[in-house]
Amino acid sequence: MHLILFFLFAGFCLAGAINLLLQSHPINSALSLIVVMTSLAVLYLLLGAEFLAAAQVIVYAGAIMVLFIFTVMLLNAGREERTMGSRTWRAVGFPAGVAIMAVLTTVVLRARGMGTAALSQGITSTEDLSRVLFHELLLPFEVTSVLILIAILGAVALARHGHGDLLEKPAPYGSRERTAAK
């Protein structure tokens, strides 16, 4: 059952990542990234890392992606222009991608002893992890939340500045207002 769930959510993760690259609208790309982050959380659950899965959903699929979507919406980003791409991608990128996939396939097929993982005796509980996070690492945790708040305020400030109705625009050089002020 775990193997079926792994392949199912790994497929969702890959499909979301490919869809993220193919989308021309930034909101759709951000939503595809949410699919990727949520699929990764399920993969963490399958590995037995419940706390990491919850943190993945709360922090990345929740807070960070909402920040991305609000930023895109506040900046009023529309559709991106499609270009034909560069010739470098076709000449170098595609053969390099095929070569990397061939090397990875060879390594995976020739690997021996995969699938033999054992748990050590020193398993950390969620209580121990929270003690470290909220006592020893409290300052970096709070600094991160302040940085996210600053990013939100920056997005709002950029959105306001983009519309121009809330900030004064300087008079052009050589106009009457500038020459009268001298």
Side-chain angles (χ1 to χ4, degrees):
M1 183 66 176
H2 280 264
L3 190 61
I4 293 170
L5 287 174
F6 172 79
F7 282 119
L8 178 70
F9 284 98
F12 283 154
C13 190
L14 285 173
I18 291 170
N19 191 31
L20 173 114
L21 296 174
L22 296 177
Q23 288 295 324
S24 62
H25 199 276
I27 295 289
N28 294 340
S29 294
L31 293 175
S32 295
L33 196 55
I34 290 174
V35 170
V36 171
M37 296 299 173
T38 307
S39 298
L40 284 175
V42 173
L43 293 177
Y44 287 139
L45 275 177
L46 291 175
L47 289 172
E50 292 86 7
F51 180 76
L52 195 55
Q56 178 80 16
V57 169
I58 293 169
V59 174
Y60 290 110
I64 301 297
M65 290 312 303
V66 166
L67 181 67
F68 283 171
I69 290 174
F70 280 153
T71 302
V72 168
M73 287 178 152
L74 285 173
L75 293 177
N76 199 14
R79 296 184 72 82
E80 296 178 7
E81 277 188 38
R82 286 285 185 181
T83 61
M84 295 303 293
S86 67
R87 293 183 182 165
T88 307
W89 175 81
R90 290 185 183 93
V92 177
F94 185 72
V98 170
I100 289 172
M101 289 303 293
V103 168
L104 287 175
T105 303
T106 304
V107 168
V108 168
L109 291 177
R110 290 189 181 184
R112 305 232 184 250
M114 292 182 67
T116 56
L119 294 175
S120 64
Q121 294 297 327
I123 297 175
T124 304
S125 68
T126 307
E127 180 182 352
D128 295 334
L129 188 60
S130 64
R131 187 176 301 114
V132 168
L133 183 64
F134 294 118
H135 290 295
E136 286 96 34
L137 298 175
L138 183 64
L139 180 64
F141 186 76
E142 291 300 323
V143 167
T144 303
S145 63
V146 169
L147 286 175
I148 291 173
L149 179 64
I150 290 170
I152 291 172
L153 293 175
V156 171
L158 284 174
R160 283 183 152 183
H161 182 68
H163 293 293
D165 54 348
L166 298 175
L167 297 174
E168 284 186 43
K169 293 184 181 178
Y173 185 74
S175 66
R176 288 185 197 175
E177 293 88 18
R178 279 203 178 206
T179 53
K182 291 183 180 179

